[in-house]
Amino acid sequence: MVRKFSAFIFLLLISAFICGCGSLTLSNGKYETSLPGREDFAAVYNDLIFIGLREPSDDPSQNNYWIWAGSFSIDDDGRIMLDMDKKLAKKWNFSYNLYRRNTSISVHDIGAGNSFDLRLRATDNPSVNRISAPAAPSAAPGTFPAYR
């Protein structure tokens, strides 16, 4: 009986792991660098990311930053995979690798041969993470003619 129960628990844990119940995620919020002269950032909401990284030195153009938004996933080794088309992904992966760390996103700049962190910005206002519309004032008259 104990063997059957142990086997059942083992199968339950394996199936939970395979189903993705233990998948890696990023905390929602804005991630920023503290390096002087750089304005790299990432904003995360569930499985969506909006990211802006300074252009690599070998690709100068009119814009100073590469900007991209879309969904992402995280591999078992912590690498953040951006869900973009193959041509664009090849360009980004040639220049940057992104990894999930405890409370930050580690950016490996392959061209420059260095790395830096985008740290989750701390907020003093707990309502920043709450998604709700502000309440309308109850004493204010409506501006639409039908409400007058």
Side-chain angles (χ1 to χ4, degrees):
M1 181 72 166
V2 173
R3 283 187 183 181
K4 287 182 182 179
F5 183 71
S6 300
F8 174 74
I9 296 295
F10 178 75
L11 289 175
L12 185 65
L13 291 174
I14 292 296
S15 63
F17 181 74
I18 292 172
C19 292
C21 296
S23 63
L24 299 174
T25 61
L26 289 170
S27 298
N28 291 339
K30 185 173 183 184
Y31 294 77
E32 298 173 316
T33 184
S34 60
L35 296 176
R38 292 193 72 123
E39 297 177 8
D40 302 288
F41 69 92
V44 174
Y45 182 72
N46 294 335
D47 67 339
L48 300 174
I49 190 168
F50 182 78
I51 190 163
L53 297 175
R54 181 184 283 175
E55 286 184 342
S57 58
D58 63 345
D59 188 13
S61 68
Q62 296 283 17
N63 298 328
N64 292 335
Y65 286 81
W66 284 356
I67 306 289
W68 184 83
S71 59
F72 70 96
S73 60
I74 302 176
D75 286 345
D76 290 337
D77 65 349
R79 184 164 182 196
I80 299 171
M81 303 301 293
L82 304 176
D83 185 21
M84 51 178 62
D85 63 79
K86 286 184 180 183
K87 185 177 180 181
L88 188 58
K90 185 175 181 181
K91 184 177 180 180
W92 275 71
N93 292 334
F94 184 76
S95 300
Y96 294 107
N97 286 331
L98 306 172
Y99 289 91
R100 176 194 174 272
R101 298 293 178 239
N102 291 336
T103 58
S104 65
I105 298 172
S106 181
V107 179
H108 295 265
D109 187 342
I110 298 169
N114 61 15
S115 63
F116 58 92
D117 288 338
L118 301 175
R119 298 194 189 281
L120 183 60
R121 183 175 69 181
T123 178
D124 295 335
N125 186 356
S127 67
V128 169
N129 295 329
R130 194 173 352 131
I131 300 174
S132 63
S138 59
T143 56
F144 192 75
Y147 295 126
R148 291 183 181 184

